[in-house]
Amino acid sequence: MDLGIAGKTALVCGASKGLGLGCAEALVREGVNVVIVARGEEALQAAAARLTAARAGGTGSSAPFVKYVAADITTPEGRAAAFAVHADYDIVVTNAGGPPPGDFRDWDREAWIRAVDANMLTPIELIKATVDGMAARGYGRIVNITSSSVKSPIDILGLSNGARSGLTGFVAGVARTSIAAKGVTINNLLPGAFDTDRLKGTFASSAKKTGQDVETLRAARQKGIPAGRFGNPEEFGAVCAFLCSMQAGYITGQNVLTDGGAYPGTY
C-alpha cells in the first residue's frame, strides 16, 4: 500500500534505537524525510547510516534526506536544535526514555517532575510548536509513543503510569479541537512488551525486587501474551507509519494498543 506520505518531513524523537528507530525506519522506507533526535551521538550516527541505507525512492537530490540531532529533546535547548535543522515538520513522533522503575515510596518530588517533564510536558511542547503550521498546510500527523501501562498499570512503573496518563488526557481534548477538520491528527501508540533495552531494564528491576532470575521472568511474561512472544521494533514502526498515512486521516484522539493481545479488556 502506498501510504501517500513520500516527500513529507518527520521529526522522530528517541530514534537512535528501539521503538523510535523502528518508527523512523518505517517512515523513511515510505519516502519520508526524517530528522532523528536522541542524546547519544555515536548511536545516532549508526542509526542515520542504517536509515540512509533503507530509504525509499529517488537518487541524489531527489532521495529523502536523513539528518540527526544529538540533543536532549526534553530541554528547550534540545527542541531548539531540532527546529534549527528543519522548521516545518509534517509528522512528529514523540518519544522519550521512560522513567526508571521502582517503589513509589522512594520517589521524591524531583523524580516526579522529571517524569512529567519528559513524558508529558515535552510532547505537549512539540505539539504546540508544530500543530498550527500543520493545520495551515492541511496535513499533519502527531504520534506519541506512550505505553500499554496507560491502560493496564504496572506497579513498578508508577512514574510512567502517572506521567503518560496525563499526556493521554491532554491529547484526548486537543485532538478534537478545530485542528481535526484541517487535516491534523494526534494519536497515542501504546507498546506492550517489545524486545528492547527498556524491557531488559524492567526485567532486571523485577529480578532484584522478587529474587527471581531474569530468564524465568521473561518466560512468564511471554506466556501471558496471547501472541506467545515479544514484539519487535519493525512491526511497531509499521503501525506508526500507517497512523501517519493519508489513509489514516479519519483516526484521531485514539490510543492504539500494540501488545500481542496481552491487555484482557474489551475496551
Side-chain angles (χ1 to χ4, degrees):
M1 179 187 293
D2 180 358
L3 299 185
I5 52 178
K8 303 294 186 184
T9 301
L11 172 66
V12 185
C13 305
S16 62
K17 58 184 178 179
L19 301 182
L21 179 55
C23 292
E25 189 163 14
L27 289 170
V28 82
R29 288 185 185 280
E30 293 296 324
V32 175
N33 301 309
V34 173
V35 177
I36 57 174
V37 181
R39 288 174 292 181
E41 184 157 5
E42 186 175 348
L44 270 174
Q45 288 178 337
R50 173 173 164 175
L51 294 176
T52 298
R55 63 188 179 179
T59 58
S61 61
S62 66
F65 66 68
V66 175
K67 299 179 181 180
Y68 71 87
V69 180
D72 183 351
I73 199 69
T74 69
T75 66
E77 296 79 11
R79 291 189 289 274
F83 286 99
V85 171
H86 190 87
D88 301 316
Y89 290 102
D90 306 298
I91 295 167
V92 175
V93 180
T94 77
N95 179 36
D103 188 319
F104 78 93
R105 298 170 184 82
D106 300 325
W107 297 325
D108 58 15
R109 175 179 172 79
E110 287 306 309
W112 280 104
I113 293 299
R114 286 194 298 271
V116 170
D117 194 33
N119 298 115
M120 178 181 173
L121 298 182
T122 291
I124 290 173
E125 288 293 334
L126 291 170
I127 292 168
K128 183 168 69 173
T130 57
V131 71
D132 290 333
M134 292 175 175
R137 294 189 298 274
Y139 166 89
R141 300 288 185 268
I142 297 172
V143 177
N144 303 300
I145 299 177
T146 63
S147 171
S148 63
S149 67
V150 170
K151 289 181 69 71
S152 183
I154 301 169
D155 63 344
I156 63 170
L157 298 181
L159 290 171
S160 178
N161 298 341
R164 297 189 195 278
S165 293
L167 175 63
T168 303
F170 171 80
V171 167
V174 73
R176 294 172 172 85
T177 62
S178 61
I179 62 170
K182 297 177 181 177
V184 180
T185 70
I186 310 177
N187 292 290
N188 304 315
L189 189 49
L190 284 56
F194 279 76
D195 202 3
T196 64
D197 289 346
R198 172 69 168 171
L199 186 65
K200 294 180 178 70
T202 301
F203 282 133
S205 180
S206 294
K208 184 177 179 180
K209 182 177 179 180
T210 65
Q212 299 183 69
D213 65 86
V214 169
E215 287 307 313
T216 298
L217 292 170
R218 283 180 62 92
R221 183 74 179 273
Q222 282 186 316
K223 188 176 180 180
I225 300 171
R229 63 178 177 85
F230 298 135
N232 63 68
E234 292 75 20
E235 59 192 336
F236 185 85
V239 178
C240 178
F242 177 75
L243 288 176
C244 296
S245 72
M246 289 299 189
Q247 292 89 338
Y250 208 52
I251 302 172
T252 195
Q254 301 304 305
N255 295 292
V256 180
L257 187 61
T258 54
D259 70 344
Y263 175 66
T266 302
Y267 302 106

Short mmCIF file of all heavy atoms in Angstrom, two decimals, residues 122-190:
data_model
loop_
_atom_site.label_atom_id
_atom_site.label_comp_id
_atom_site.label_asym_id
_atom_site.label_seq_id
_atom_site.Cartn_x
_atom_site.Cartn_y
_atom_site.Cartn_z
N THR A 122 7.06 17.53 27.53
CA THR A 122 7.83 17.60 26.28
C THR A 122 6.96 17.30 25.06
O THR A 122 6.99 18.07 24.09
CB THR A 122 9.05 16.67 26.34
OG1 THR A 122 9.99 17.21 27.29
CG2 THR A 122 9.73 16.58 24.98
N PRO A 123 6.17 16.22 25.05
CA PRO A 123 5.27 16.03 23.91
C PRO A 123 4.31 17.20 23.71
O PRO A 123 4.04 17.60 22.57
CB PRO A 123 4.52 14.75 24.26
CG PRO A 123 5.44 14.01 25.16
CD PRO A 123 6.14 15.05 25.96
N ILE A 124 3.81 17.78 24.80
CA ILE A 124 2.90 18.92 24.67
C ILE A 124 3.61 20.10 24.03
O ILE A 124 3.05 20.79 23.16
CB ILE A 124 2.32 19.30 26.05
CG1 ILE A 124 1.35 18.21 26.52
CG2 ILE A 124 1.59 20.64 25.99
CD1 ILE A 124 0.85 18.39 27.95
N GLU A 125 4.87 20.34 24.41
CA GLU A 125 5.63 21.43 23.79
C GLU A 125 5.84 21.18 22.30
O GLU A 125 5.76 22.11 21.48
CB GLU A 125 6.99 21.58 24.49
CG GLU A 125 6.92 22.17 25.88
CD GLU A 125 6.46 23.63 25.89
OE1 GLU A 125 6.66 24.33 24.88
OE2 GLU A 125 5.88 24.06 26.90
N LEU A 126 6.09 19.94 21.91
CA LEU A 126 6.28 19.62 20.49
C LEU A 126 4.97 19.76 19.71
O LEU A 126 4.97 20.22 18.56
CB LEU A 126 6.86 18.22 20.34
CG LEU A 126 8.30 18.06 20.84
CD1 LEU A 126 8.70 16.59 20.88
CD2 LEU A 126 9.27 18.85 19.96
N ILE A 127 3.87 19.38 20.33
CA ILE A 127 2.56 19.57 19.71
C ILE A 127 2.30 21.06 19.51
O ILE A 127 1.90 21.51 18.43
CB ILE A 127 1.46 18.92 20.56
CG1 ILE A 127 1.60 17.39 20.54
CG2 ILE A 127 0.07 19.32 20.05
CD1 ILE A 127 0.73 16.68 21.57
N LYS A 128 2.55 21.83 20.55
CA LYS A 128 2.31 23.28 20.49
C LYS A 128 3.15 23.94 19.41
O LYS A 128 2.69 24.86 18.72
CB LYS A 128 2.61 23.90 21.86
CG LYS A 128 2.32 25.38 21.95
CD LYS A 128 2.35 25.86 23.39
CE LYS A 128 3.74 25.83 23.97
NZ LYS A 128 3.78 26.46 25.32
N ALA A 129 4.37 23.46 19.23
CA ALA A 129 5.29 24.08 18.26
C ALA A 129 4.96 23.75 16.82
O ALA A 129 5.42 24.44 15.91
CB ALA A 129 6.72 23.64 18.58
N THR A 130 4.19 22.70 16.57
CA THR A 130 4.00 22.23 15.20
C THR A 130 2.57 22.22 14.70
O THR A 130 2.32 22.25 13.49
CB THR A 130 4.56 20.80 15.05
OG1 THR A 130 3.92 19.93 16.00
CG2 THR A 130 6.06 20.78 15.26
N VAL A 131 1.60 22.13 15.59
CA VAL A 131 0.24 21.82 15.18
C VAL A 131 -0.39 22.92 14.32
O VAL A 131 -1.14 22.64 13.37
CB VAL A 131 -0.63 21.49 16.41
CG1 VAL A 131 -0.91 22.73 17.25
CG2 VAL A 131 -1.91 20.81 16.02
N ASP A 132 -0.11 24.20 14.61
CA ASP A 132 -0.73 25.27 13.82
C ASP A 132 -0.17 25.33 12.41
O ASP A 132 -0.91 25.57 11.45
CB ASP A 132 -0.55 26.62 14.52
CG ASP A 132 -1.38 26.72 15.79
OD1 ASP A 132 -2.43 26.05 15.87
OD2 ASP A 132 -0.97 27.46 16.71
N GLY A 133 1.13 25.08 12.26
CA GLY A 133 1.71 25.01 10.93
C GLY A 133 1.15 23.86 10.12
O GLY A 133 0.88 23.99 8.92
N MET A 134 0.97 22.72 10.77
CA MET A 134 0.36 21.57 10.11
C MET A 134 -1.04 21.92 9.63
O MET A 134 -1.42 21.62 8.48
CB MET A 134 0.29 20.38 11.06
CG MET A 134 1.63 19.78 11.44
SD MET A 134 1.39 18.47 12.69
CE MET A 134 3.06 17.83 12.84
N ALA A 135 -1.82 22.57 10.49
CA ALA A 135 -3.20 22.93 10.14
C ALA A 135 -3.22 23.90 8.96
O ALA A 135 -4.07 23.78 8.06
CB ALA A 135 -3.90 23.54 11.35
N ALA A 136 -2.30 24.84 8.93
CA ALA A 136 -2.25 25.81 7.84
C ALA A 136 -1.93 25.13 6.51
O ALA A 136 -2.42 25.55 5.45
CB ALA A 136 -1.21 26.88 8.14
N ARG A 137 -1.14 24.05 6.56
CA ARG A 137 -0.77 23.32 5.33
C ARG A 137 -1.78 22.25 4.97
O ARG A 137 -1.70 21.63 3.91
CB ARG A 137 0.62 22.70 5.49
CG ARG A 137 1.75 23.73 5.60
CD ARG A 137 3.12 23.08 5.54
NE ARG A 137 3.37 22.15 6.64
CZ ARG A 137 3.83 22.50 7.84
NH1 ARG A 137 4.07 23.78 8.10
NH2 ARG A 137 4.04 21.59 8.77
N GLY A 138 -2.73 21.95 5.88
CA GLY A 138 -3.79 20.99 5.59
C GLY A 138 -3.43 19.55 5.80
O GLY A 138 -4.18 18.64 5.41
N TYR A 139 -2.32 19.29 6.47
CA TYR A 139 -1.92 17.91 6.77
C TYR A 139 -0.98 17.93 7.96
O TYR A 139 -0.06 18.75 8.04
CB TYR A 139 -1.21 17.24 5.59
CG TYR A 139 -0.49 15.96 5.97
CD1 TYR A 139 -1.15 14.73 5.92
CD2 TYR A 139 0.83 15.98 6.43
CE1 TYR A 139 -0.50 13.56 6.30
CE2 TYR A 139 1.48 14.82 6.81
CZ TYR A 139 0.81 13.61 6.75
OH TYR A 139 1.44 12.46 7.14
N GLY A 140 -1.19 17.00 8.88
CA GLY A 140 -0.27 16.83 9.99
C GLY A 140 -0.56 15.55 10.73
O GLY A 140 -1.72 15.13 10.85
N ARG A 141 0.49 14.90 11.19
CA ARG A 141 0.34 13.67 11.96
C ARG A 141 1.27 13.75 13.17
O ARG A 141 2.48 13.93 13.03
CB ARG A 141 0.71 12.44 11.12
CG ARG A 141 -0.14 12.24 9.87
CD ARG A 141 -1.53 11.78 10.21
NE ARG A 141 -2.30 11.47 9.02
CZ ARG A 141 -3.10 12.34 8.38
NH1 ARG A 141 -3.22 13.59 8.84
NH2 ARG A 141 -3.78 11.98 7.31
N ILE A 142 0.68 13.61 14.35
CA ILE A 142 1.46 13.53 15.58
C ILE A 142 1.16 12.19 16.23
O ILE A 142 0.00 11.84 16.45
CB ILE A 142 1.14 14.69 16.54
CG1 ILE A 142 1.52 16.03 15.90
CG2 ILE A 142 1.88 14.51 17.87
CD1 ILE A 142 1.08 17.24 16.67
N VAL A 143 2.21 11.44 16.48
CA VAL A 143 2.07 10.14 17.13
C VAL A 143 2.93 10.17 18.39
O VAL A 143 4.15 10.37 18.32
CB VAL A 143 2.53 8.99 16.21
CG1 VAL A 143 2.44 7.65 16.95
CG2 VAL A 143 1.69 8.95 14.93
N ASN A 144 2.30 9.98 19.52
CA ASN A 144 3.01 9.93 20.80
C ASN A 144 3.22 8.48 21.21
O ASN A 144 2.24 7.74 21.37
CB ASN A 144 2.20 10.64 21.89
CG ASN A 144 1.88 12.08 21.53
OD1 ASN A 144 2.76 12.90 21.32
ND2 ASN A 144 0.59 12.39 21.45
N ILE A 145 4.47 8.08 21.36
CA ILE A 145 4.74 6.75 21.87
C ILE A 145 4.59 6.81 23.39
O ILE A 145 5.35 7.48 24.08
CB ILE A 145 6.16 6.28 21.49
CG1 ILE A 145 6.31 6.22 19.96
CG2 ILE A 145 6.43 4.90 22.10
CD1 ILE A 145 7.70 5.82 19.50
N THR A 146 3.58 6.13 23.90
CA THR A 146 3.34 6.14 25.34
C THR A 146 3.61 4.74 25.89
O THR A 146 4.74 4.26 25.84
CB THR A 146 1.94 6.67 25.68
OG1 THR A 146 0.93 5.82 25.13
CG2 THR A 146 1.76 8.09 25.14
N SER A 147 2.61 4.07 26.41
CA SER A 147 2.84 2.74 27.00
C SER A 147 1.51 2.04 27.23
O SER A 147 0.50 2.68 27.50
CB SER A 147 3.57 2.88 28.33
OG SER A 147 3.63 1.64 29.01
N SER A 148 1.54 0.71 27.15
CA SER A 148 0.34 -0.06 27.49
C SER A 148 -0.03 0.13 28.96
O SER A 148 -1.16 -0.16 29.36
CB SER A 148 0.57 -1.54 27.20
OG SER A 148 1.62 -2.06 28.01
N SER A 149 0.91 0.63 29.77
CA SER A 149 0.62 0.85 31.19
C SER A 149 -0.42 1.94 31.40
O SER A 149 -0.99 2.05 32.48
CB SER A 149 1.90 1.20 31.96
OG SER A 149 2.42 2.45 31.56
N VAL A 150 -0.70 2.73 30.36
CA VAL A 150 -1.78 3.71 30.44
C VAL A 150 -3.13 2.99 30.61
O VAL A 150 -4.02 3.47 31.31
CB VAL A 150 -1.80 4.60 29.18
CG1 VAL A 150 -3.05 5.45 29.12
CG2 VAL A 150 -0.57 5.50 29.16
N LYS A 151 -3.26 1.83 29.97
CA LYS A 151 -4.50 1.06 30.07
C LYS A 151 -4.43 -0.01 31.15
O LYS A 151 -5.45 -0.37 31.74
CB LYS A 151 -4.82 0.40 28.71
CG LYS A 151 -5.25 1.38 27.65
CD LYS A 151 -5.58 0.66 26.35
CE LYS A 151 -6.83 -0.18 26.44
NZ LYS A 151 -8.06 0.63 26.53
N SER A 152 -3.25 -0.53 31.39
CA SER A 152 -3.08 -1.59 32.36
C SER A 152 -1.83 -1.31 33.19
O SER A 152 -0.74 -1.76 32.84
CB SER A 152 -2.96 -2.94 31.64
OG SER A 152 -2.86 -4.01 32.55
N PRO A 153 -1.96 -0.54 34.26
CA PRO A 153 -0.80 -0.06 35.02
C PRO A 153 0.10 -1.20 35.52
O PRO A 153 -0.36 -2.28 35.87
CB PRO A 153 -1.42 0.70 36.18
CG PRO A 153 -2.77 1.10 35.69
CD PRO A 153 -3.22 -0.01 34.81
N ILE A 154 1.39 -0.90 35.53
CA ILE A 154 2.40 -1.83 36.04
C ILE A 154 2.96 -1.24 37.32
O ILE A 154 3.44 -0.09 37.33
CB ILE A 154 3.52 -2.03 34.99
CG1 ILE A 154 2.92 -2.57 33.68
CG2 ILE A 154 4.60 -2.97 35.52
CD1 ILE A 154 3.88 -2.56 32.50
N ASP A 155 2.90 -1.98 38.39
CA ASP A 155 3.17 -1.40 39.71
C ASP A 155 4.54 -0.74 39.82
O ASP A 155 4.68 0.32 40.43
CB ASP A 155 2.97 -2.44 40.82
CG ASP A 155 3.93 -3.62 40.73
OD1 ASP A 155 4.54 -3.81 39.67
OD2 ASP A 155 4.05 -4.36 41.74
N ILE A 156 5.57 -1.33 39.25
CA ILE A 156 6.91 -0.76 39.39
C ILE A 156 7.17 0.40 38.43
O ILE A 156 8.23 1.01 38.47
CB ILE A 156 8.01 -1.84 39.21
CG1 ILE A 156 7.98 -2.43 37.80
CG2 ILE A 156 7.89 -2.91 40.28
CD1 ILE A 156 9.17 -3.31 37.49
N LEU A 157 6.19 0.70 37.57
CA LEU A 157 6.34 1.79 36.61
C LEU A 157 5.39 2.94 36.94
O LEU A 157 4.80 3.56 36.06
CB LEU A 157 6.08 1.29 35.19
CG LEU A 157 7.03 0.22 34.66
CD1 LEU A 157 6.67 -0.16 33.23
CD2 LEU A 157 8.49 0.69 34.72
N GLY A 158 5.26 3.23 38.23
CA GLY A 158 4.33 4.26 38.65
C GLY A 158 4.62 5.63 38.07
O GLY A 158 3.70 6.39 37.73
N LEU A 159 5.89 6.00 37.92
CA LEU A 159 6.24 7.29 37.32
C LEU A 159 5.72 7.36 35.89
O LEU A 159 5.18 8.38 35.46
CB LEU A 159 7.75 7.50 37.36
CG LEU A 159 8.39 7.74 38.72
CD1 LEU A 159 9.91 7.70 38.60
CD2 LEU A 159 7.94 9.07 39.31
N SER A 160 5.91 6.28 35.17
CA SER A 160 5.43 6.22 33.78
C SER A 160 3.91 6.20 33.73
O SER A 160 3.29 6.92 32.93
CB SER A 160 5.99 4.98 33.09
OG SER A 160 5.52 4.87 31.76
N ASN A 161 3.28 5.39 34.58
CA ASN A 161 1.82 5.33 34.61
C ASN A 161 1.23 6.72 34.77
O ASN A 161 0.29 7.11 34.06
CB ASN A 161 1.34 4.48 35.80
CG ASN A 161 1.79 3.03 35.74
OD1 ASN A 161 2.16 2.52 34.70
ND2 ASN A 161 1.76 2.37 36.89
N GLY A 162 1.76 7.48 35.72
CA GLY A 162 1.20 8.80 36.02
C GLY A 162 1.45 9.82 34.92
O GLY A 162 0.52 10.48 34.45
N ALA A 163 2.72 9.95 34.50
CA ALA A 163 3.06 10.99 33.52
C ALA A 163 2.40 10.73 32.18
O ALA A 163 1.87 11.64 31.54
CB ALA A 163 4.58 11.06 33.37
N ARG A 164 2.42 9.49 31.73
CA ARG A 164 1.85 9.19 30.42
C ARG A 164 0.32 9.28 30.44
O ARG A 164 -0.29 9.63 29.43
CB ARG A 164 2.31 7.81 29.96
CG ARG A 164 3.83 7.71 29.76
CD ARG A 164 4.19 6.39 29.11
NE ARG A 164 5.59 6.05 29.18
CZ ARG A 164 6.55 6.50 28.38
NH1 ARG A 164 6.26 7.38 27.45
NH2 ARG A 164 7.80 6.08 28.51
N SER A 165 -0.28 9.00 31.56
CA SER A 165 -1.73 9.16 31.66
C SER A 165 -2.12 10.63 31.56
O SER A 165 -3.16 10.97 30.99
CB SER A 165 -2.24 8.57 32.98
OG SER A 165 -2.08 7.16 32.98
N GLY A 166 -1.27 11.50 32.10
CA GLY A 166 -1.52 12.94 31.96
C GLY A 166 -1.48 13.36 30.51
O GLY A 166 -2.34 14.14 30.05
N LEU A 167 -0.51 12.87 29.74
CA LEU A 167 -0.44 13.19 28.32
C LEU A 167 -1.66 12.65 27.59
O LEU A 167 -2.23 13.32 26.72
CB LEU A 167 0.83 12.59 27.71
CG LEU A 167 0.97 12.75 26.20
CD1 LEU A 167 1.08 14.22 25.80
CD2 LEU A 167 2.18 11.96 25.69
N THR A 168 -2.10 11.46 27.95
CA THR A 168 -3.26 10.84 27.31
C THR A 168 -4.50 11.71 27.47
O THR A 168 -5.27 11.91 26.53
CB THR A 168 -3.50 9.43 27.88
OG1 THR A 168 -2.33 8.64 27.70
CG2 THR A 168 -4.68 8.77 27.21
N GLY A 169 -4.69 12.23 28.68
CA GLY A 169 -5.84 13.11 28.91
C GLY A 169 -5.76 14.38 28.11
O GLY A 169 -6.76 14.85 27.55
N PHE A 170 -4.57 14.96 28.01
CA PHE A 170 -4.39 16.18 27.23
C PHE A 170 -4.71 15.94 25.76
O PHE A 170 -5.44 16.71 25.12
CB PHE A 170 -2.96 16.69 27.38
CG PHE A 170 -2.62 17.82 26.45
CD1 PHE A 170 -3.02 19.11 26.74
CD2 PHE A 170 -1.93 17.59 25.27
CE1 PHE A 170 -2.73 20.16 25.87
CE2 PHE A 170 -1.63 18.62 24.40
CZ PHE A 170 -2.04 19.91 24.70
N VAL A 171 -4.16 14.86 25.22
CA VAL A 171 -4.37 14.56 23.79
C VAL A 171 -5.84 14.31 23.48
O VAL A 171 -6.34 14.72 22.43
CB VAL A 171 -3.51 13.35 23.37
CG1 VAL A 171 -3.93 12.82 22.00
CG2 VAL A 171 -2.04 13.74 23.35
N ALA A 172 -6.55 13.68 24.40
CA ALA A 172 -7.97 13.41 24.18
C ALA A 172 -8.75 14.69 23.91
O ALA A 172 -9.71 14.70 23.13
CB ALA A 172 -8.56 12.69 25.40
N GLY A 173 -8.33 15.78 24.54
CA GLY A 173 -9.01 17.05 24.30
C GLY A 173 -8.52 17.77 23.06
O GLY A 173 -9.31 18.13 22.19
N VAL A 174 -7.21 17.95 22.95
CA VAL A 174 -6.69 18.79 21.87
C VAL A 174 -6.89 18.16 20.49
O VAL A 174 -7.06 18.86 19.49
CB VAL A 174 -5.19 19.12 22.11
CG1 VAL A 174 -4.30 17.92 21.85
CG2 VAL A 174 -4.75 20.31 21.26
N ALA A 175 -6.90 16.83 20.42
CA ALA A 175 -7.08 16.16 19.13
C ALA A 175 -8.46 16.43 18.54
O ALA A 175 -8.66 16.30 17.33
CB ALA A 175 -6.88 14.65 19.27
N ARG A 176 -9.40 16.81 19.40
CA ARG A 176 -10.78 17.01 18.96
C ARG A 176 -11.14 18.48 18.82
O ARG A 176 -12.32 18.82 18.71
CB ARG A 176 -11.72 16.29 19.94
CG ARG A 176 -11.56 14.78 19.91
CD ARG A 176 -12.35 14.09 21.01
NE ARG A 176 -12.34 12.64 20.84
CZ ARG A 176 -11.38 11.83 21.28
NH1 ARG A 176 -10.33 12.34 21.92
NH2 ARG A 176 -11.46 10.52 21.07
N THR A 177 -10.15 19.34 18.79
CA THR A 177 -10.40 20.76 18.55
C THR A 177 -10.48 21.02 17.05
O THR A 177 -10.51 20.09 16.24
CB THR A 177 -9.31 21.62 19.19
OG1 THR A 177 -8.04 21.29 18.59
CG2 THR A 177 -9.23 21.37 20.70
N SER A 178 -10.46 22.28 16.66
CA SER A 178 -10.64 22.66 15.25
C SER A 178 -9.57 22.10 14.33
O SER A 178 -9.76 22.04 13.10
CB SER A 178 -10.69 24.18 15.12
OG SER A 178 -9.47 24.76 15.58
N ILE A 179 -8.43 21.68 14.86
CA ILE A 179 -7.37 21.14 14.00
C ILE A 179 -7.81 19.87 13.31
O ILE A 179 -7.30 19.54 12.23
CB ILE A 179 -6.08 20.88 14.79
CG1 ILE A 179 -6.30 19.84 15.88
CG2 ILE A 179 -5.52 22.18 15.38
CD1 ILE A 179 -5.02 19.35 16.53
N ALA A 180 -8.76 19.15 13.89
CA ALA A 180 -9.20 17.87 13.30
C ALA A 180 -9.80 18.08 11.92
O ALA A 180 -9.67 17.22 11.04
CB ALA A 180 -10.19 17.18 14.22
N ALA A 181 -10.47 19.20 11.71
CA ALA A 181 -11.08 19.49 10.42
C ALA A 181 -10.08 20.05 9.41
O ALA A 181 -10.43 20.27 8.25
CB ALA A 181 -12.24 20.47 10.60
N LYS A 182 -8.85 20.26 9.86
CA LYS A 182 -7.83 20.84 8.99
C LYS A 182 -6.75 19.82 8.62
O LYS A 182 -5.64 20.19 8.23
CB LYS A 182 -7.20 22.05 9.68
CG LYS A 182 -8.22 23.17 9.90
CD LYS A 182 -7.61 24.35 10.64
CE LYS A 182 -8.66 25.45 10.86
NZ LYS A 182 -8.12 26.58 11.64
N GLY A 183 -7.10 18.55 8.76
CA GLY A 183 -6.20 17.50 8.30
C GLY A 183 -5.12 17.09 9.28
O GLY A 183 -4.14 16.45 8.89
N VAL A 184 -5.27 17.48 10.55
CA VAL A 184 -4.25 17.16 11.56
C VAL A 184 -4.80 16.12 12.53
O VAL A 184 -5.88 16.31 13.11
CB VAL A 184 -3.83 18.42 12.33
CG1 VAL A 184 -2.76 18.07 13.37
CG2 VAL A 184 -3.31 19.49 11.38
N THR A 185 -4.07 15.05 12.71
CA THR A 185 -4.46 14.02 13.67
C THR A 185 -3.41 13.89 14.76
O THR A 185 -2.21 14.08 14.52
CB THR A 185 -4.66 12.64 13.00
OG1 THR A 185 -3.39 12.12 12.59
CG2 THR A 185 -5.59 12.75 11.81
N ILE A 186 -3.87 13.56 15.95
CA ILE A 186 -2.97 13.29 17.07
C ILE A 186 -3.43 11.99 17.72
O ILE A 186 -4.58 11.86 18.14
CB ILE A 186 -2.99 14.41 18.13
CG1 ILE A 186 -2.78 15.78 17.48
CG2 ILE A 186 -1.92 14.16 19.18
CD1 ILE A 186 -2.86 16.94 18.47
N ASN A 187 -2.53 11.03 17.76
CA ASN A 187 -2.85 9.73 18.35
C ASN A 187 -1.72 9.27 19.24
O ASN A 187 -0.57 9.72 19.11
CB ASN A 187 -3.09 8.69 17.24
CG ASN A 187 -4.35 8.97 16.44
OD1 ASN A 187 -5.46 8.83 16.94
ND2 ASN A 187 -4.18 9.38 15.18
N ASN A 188 -2.04 8.36 20.13
CA ASN A 188 -1.05 7.74 21.00
C ASN A 188 -0.87 6.28 20.60
O ASN A 188 -1.85 5.58 20.34
CB ASN A 188 -1.50 7.82 22.46
CG ASN A 188 -1.77 9.24 22.90
OD1 ASN A 188 -0.99 10.14 22.62
ND2 ASN A 188 -2.89 9.45 23.59
N LEU A 189 0.38 5.86 20.55
CA LEU A 189 0.70 4.48 20.20
C LEU A 189 1.26 3.81 21.45
O LEU A 189 2.29 4.22 21.98
CB LEU A 189 1.70 4.46 19.05
CG LEU A 189 2.03 3.15 18.36
CD1 LEU A 189 0.78 2.38 17.98
CD2 LEU A 189 2.88 3.41 17.12
N LEU A 190 0.56 2.79 21.92
CA LEU A 190 0.83 2.19 23.22
C LEU A 190 1.51 0.83 23.06
O LEU A 190 0.85 -0.18 22.78
CB LEU A 190 -0.48 1.98 24.01
CG LEU A 190 -1.16 3.19 24.65
CD1 LEU A 190 -1.47 4.29 23.65
CD2 LEU A 190 -2.43 2.75 25.36
#
